[in-house]
Amino acid sequence: MKKIICTVTNDLSYDQRMQRICTSLVQNGYDVTLVGRTMAGSPKLALQPFKQKRLNPLFQTGIAFYFIYNVRLFFYLLFKSADIYYAVDLDTILPNYFAAVLKGKSRVYDAHELFTEQKEIVTRPFIHRCWLFIEQFAVPKFRNGYTVNIFIKEELKRRYNVDYGIIRNLPALYTLQHQAGDEKFILYQGAVNEGRSFETLIPAMQRVNAPLKICGKGNFFEQTKQLIDTYGLANKIELAGFILPSALKNITQRAFAGLTLFEKTGLNQYYSLSNRFFDYIMAGVPQVCVNYPEYKAINDIYQVALMIDDTDERTIAAALNKLLDDSSLYEQLKKNCVIAREQLNWQQEEKKLLSFYKQL
């Protein structure tokens, strides 16, 4: 039985992608440990088919966090036996590289995003140079890997001559409950981070005749709170914070519509293919989505979203109001989601994951 150690920088409880990947690997004969960190307010780890380990990084943010966490992770990996060391994103790649080299074991890189092109990185020159140096050093040394869309695959190949596979972050197929809520509400689920258009979404809600629920936290959470206060929308916008995956699935099914919004600053935003896009489809929920290449390619096939060309507050408000007012359009998008979910699900996508590991 091959042993795999997977590493992330989150607290494991809300990482649905890694929970799916690790579960699929365990169910197919691998011994898997998922390693993350303890965060302030982290819930007790739920029982999973795979092993879980949280490290305490001492610091929670900034350079001190990344340095201490990477050092602790390296020594953890160094003294743990594994056949495959699996780095998720650039922020855990160095410990995996050095541990794998020192122990003569295989290594895998899972690029959930084009890390060096995130808005919060490209807009900070020194930070950008640091992460770019790490990317240039480490990624060429990981010949085995996969990512979430064709753009990141091709960009990493152009930069570093690595030929990675594509394994999208699709939700597992489940039975729809068709839960009727007390009122129509708009849902944003996912990281509340820079580059996710909260600066325009919040004021846009002044013009929308429905409340907004935001499920998630991130590096723009406090600024989002301030925007809600500034526009006097505390009674219309709920900041729910982190929601466990099982509860979030129920909330998503009750939503009237979802939101997939990204600014164009940074290639990572423009060429993203986010989890929430597929989560709304799986829940049978139409969404307002940016008309960027990866989303457009899927929507051209399935017609599950109302696409917008920019994230101006008036554009967002007009699109949400169109869904609220045009019942014919809304019902057609909803029907299309129910059809698309039969193909865009983890049961189909995990076949590529298992094929990848069989070939290692």
Side-chain angles (χ1 to χ4, degrees), residues 52-301:
Q52 300 174 90
K53 172 68 177 178
R54 281 174 173 162
L55 304 178
N56 185 352
L58 300 179
F59 299 94
Q60 291 293 330
T61 60
I63 294 174
F65 157 68
Y66 286 109
F67 177 76
I68 296 297
Y69 183 73
N70 271 257
V71 170
R72 292 208 63 183
L73 181 58
F74 168 69
F75 282 104
Y76 174 85
L77 297 175
L78 190 62
F79 292 102
K80 288 291 180 180
S81 63
D83 299 293
I84 301 169
Y85 292 91
Y86 174 167
V88 179
D89 284 329
L90 210 57
D91 47 4
T92 68
I93 200 169
L94 290 178
N96 282 276
Y97 169 68
F98 289 117
V101 168
L102 287 172
K103 301 176 81 169
K105 300 297 183 178
S106 297
R107 54 188 181 268
V108 169
Y109 182 45
D110 181 352
H112 285 191
E113 54 195 344
L114 194 57
F115 197 92
T116 55
E117 297 297 331
Q118 298 176 82
K119 180 185 176 183
E120 57 265 39
I121 289 177
V122 296
T123 55
R124 301 159 70 190
F126 174 73
I127 299 298
H128 184 240
R129 287 196 299 272
C130 290
W131 284 116
L132 197 58
F133 175 80
I134 293 171
E135 182 182 86
Q136 291 168 345
F137 169 79
V139 173
K141 298 174 173 62
F142 280 72
R143 308 310 297 179
N144 297 308
Y146 43 87
T147 186
V148 296
N149 65 41
I150 188 66
F151 167 75
I152 299 178
K153 170 186 168 70
E154 292 180 348
E155 184 65 12
L156 291 176
K157 186 172 184 178
R158 182 187 70 80
R159 292 184 185 189
Y160 306 116
N161 195 33
V162 291
D163 190 14
Y164 288 171
I166 296 176
I167 299 172
R168 296 173 297 178
N169 188 13
L170 303 184
L173 189 64
Y174 58 80
T175 302
L176 289 174
Q177 299 300 316
H178 298 292
Q179 303 174 41
D182 296 331
E183 61 178 343
K184 294 179 178 178
F185 68 91
I186 312 301
L187 176 65
Y188 172 91
Q189 64 175 76
V192 183
N193 281 350
E194 290 185 53
R196 309 296 172 94
S197 304
F198 290 103
E199 298 94 328
T200 53
L201 170 61
I202 301 306
M205 291 307 299
Q206 297 174 108
R207 303 181 174 89
V208 179
N209 189 28
L212 169 66
K213 183 188 289 284
I214 298 173
C215 294
K217 281 190 175 182
N219 59 33
F220 203 73
F221 191 76
E222 292 303 318
Q223 294 93 320
T224 302
K225 275 185 181 179
Q226 293 171 10
L227 284 167
I228 292 171
D229 290 339
T230 298
Y231 289 98
L233 292 169
N235 293 327
K236 196 174 187 179
I237 300 177
E238 177 188 355
L239 281 173
F242 286 128
I243 304 292
L244 290 171
S246 58
L248 183 58
K249 183 169 69 174
N250 293 329
I251 292 171
T252 306
Q253 290 181 79
R254 298 203 320 267
F256 174 78
L259 288 163
T260 300
L261 304 175
F262 291 92
E263 298 172 20
K264 289 185 179 179
T265 306
L267 294 176
N268 191 60
Q269 278 75 242
Y270 186 65
Y271 287 100
S272 64
L273 188 57
S274 69
N275 309 352
R276 70 188 66 87
F277 179 75
F278 296 110
D279 287 339
Y280 299 138
I281 295 170
M282 181 56 63
V285 174
Q287 63 185 288
V288 170
C289 178
V290 286
N291 196 27
Y292 298 167
E294 297 291 339
Y295 302 111
K296 182 180 185 302
I298 293 174
N299 199 60
D300 283 349
I301 299 171

